[in-house]
Amino acid sequence: MQKVFRVVYMMLICQTFISFSLLAQKKDFVLVEAESFNEKGGWVLDQQFMDQMGSPFLLAHGIGKPVQDASTEVMIPKKGTWHVYARTWNWCSPWKMKEAPGRFKIAVNGAVLDNELGMGTQWDWEYAGSVEIKNKSNSVALKDLTGFEGRCDAILFTKDKNVVIPNRKEDLSAFRKQLLNIPAKPEDGGYYDLVVVGAGTAGLSAAIKGAREGLKVALINNRPVPGGNNSTEIRVVASGEMNVKPYTALGNVIREIRNVYSKEDQVIEMIQAEKMLSYFPNMHVFAASKVGKQIKSVTAKHIENGKEVEFFSPLFVDCSGDGNLGYLAGAEYRVGREMRQETRETLAPDRPDNIVLGATISWKSKVMPAEVSFPRCEWAIQFNDESCEKVISGSNWWESGFRYDQVNDAEYIRDYLFRAIYGNWAFLKNDSKFKKEYANRELDMMTYIVGKRESRRLVGDVFFVQQDIEKEYVRYDDAVVIGTYSIDQHFPTPKIHSFSRERNLFQQ
């Protein structure tokens, strides 16, 4: 899909939005969304927290090495002095870390502006510096300084250094729409017999099966690749049996798409081969409209160009993983564990709580022909020979966020895992008693899309409990999924992960 760069210049005269009253009349602005950069370089597009931020951002995911510049061309209509701001933050500030690991600078027409960015204690506009503009067409670049997860949401050029820029989510959304000329009404995406939100294993199965049954299907996915947790971006292996009695028909599609991460191109070809199936990657569903209690449409935003599209259907399937569509539609949902008195489960706690299975990012290292250095990372979790994990890769056991909101605290959970992995690796490389074993190793891969095990659970007609597995087995003639993988429970205790020794997610 063609990447569209959007930048619009506007004279804000007679501002009608009360929330923009601090923006004086006749101010000049040029807003550049980071996700719309023509060339991303080594920066990656992170859309995971759009519902909290209102926008994706670019992430300098260099796993310890500064990434290649992201760059684009910006049209600035007036010559003279312009002041440049970037919306960013110090992602380690929730842990009171003074050092900002994700620092970067902005260059305009090759000239690097004065100030380092990524220093603030929350997502906000930071001043990059001023620049003399001589031509309408200007090159803009993000210059990563560290390789440690710097992030940029947007860049604003303004003639007024002291301008107060909207930062509250609702105000910022309206500000963006006005400056970028985003229509108030979304584009009509058409009518479908079935709309599936999310293209993980469940979403792919529902969409492909629906299309093969003769339904006109729209499959909406908020990432560039299909597969969800089973994709190359997260890399969870699909396990379990299929086509088992009494549901011998369940699993046919799964067999075709199983372990998407090893054959993404084939799965995309499979999607495209279904004539009744339309696939919409890079589209994030953020709104749902209803007639009475029934959903009539969903609206999705493109994660790069911001275009909003509305899809209509009498039937919707929520395979988002977070229960996003159900949440947007006002469906009942639960988070955490029910108490024993309600469910009669012997393994249930005496009191209900918000504990969920945690989230994971995976990583691995590789052997190099010579020694490779790695910084000590004072901002990361600190380890010693007793607490460190003596490993060369990490998968599902690098898990956290048990007592946190897997939706609204997702950036916090992911960033905590960054601190754990970087801190452990820094200790192994620099200060451990077996550092010689790691001298020639360097980090080779680390995911940045969070692999979630549990989130919102939408409440349906059947409440599945422990007894359904152990002794009160009930056959459901309308079953659509079977679970044959061993059930594992991950309890948040220091015995599981050594990095829980810090006062952290396990204790809060």
Side-chain angles (χ1 to χ4, degrees), residues 135-202:
N135 302 297
K136 285 189 175 182
S137 180
N138 300 271
S139 65
V140 176
L142 299 177
K143 303 187 76 66
D144 177 33
L145 301 178
T146 67
F148 286 116
E149 318 305 335
R151 49 204 73 179
C152 180
D153 176 22
I155 297 172
L156 183 71
F157 288 79
T158 174
K159 298 291 287 183
D160 182 0
K161 180 180 179 180
N162 299 315
V163 66
V164 178
I165 310 168
N167 192 52
R168 197 169 67 94
K169 178 183 173 182
E170 293 76 11
D171 295 342
L172 184 57
S173 177
F175 182 64
R176 280 179 160 130
K177 282 193 170 186
Q178 187 171 21
L179 288 185
L180 299 171
N181 273 344
I182 297 175
K185 185 177 180 180
E187 178 182 309
D188 188 341
Y191 183 89
Y192 295 85
D193 300 317
L194 174 68
V195 171
V196 179
V197 178
T201 303

Side-chain angles (χ1 to χ4, degrees), residues 192-236:
Y192 295 85
D193 300 317
L194 174 68
V195 171
V196 179
V197 178
T201 303
L204 287 169
S205 299
I208 292 172
K209 181 62 176 176
R212 290 176 180 176
E213 292 294 325
L215 300 179
K216 181 183 178 184
V217 180
L219 175 60
I220 306 172
N221 188 31
N222 65 2
R223 292 300 301 167
V225 296
N229 276 359
N230 195 216
S231 71
T232 53
E233 295 186 316
I234 300 176
R235 305 189 182 206
V236 176

Side-chain angles (χ1 to χ4, degrees), residues 337 345-349 355-358 396 399 402 453-454 466 469-470 485-493 496-497:
R337 304 184 297 179
E345 297 171 300
T346 60
L347 296 176
I355 293 179
V356 297
L357 296 181
N396 59 298
E399 178 183 4
F402 299 92
R453 291 174 176 81
E454 184 178 353
Q466 176 185 341
I469 301 173
E470 291 185 337
Y485 182 72
S486 300
I487 294 177
D488 52 353
Q489 299 189 61
H490 304 185
F491 295 100
T493 70
I496 296 180
H497 302 295

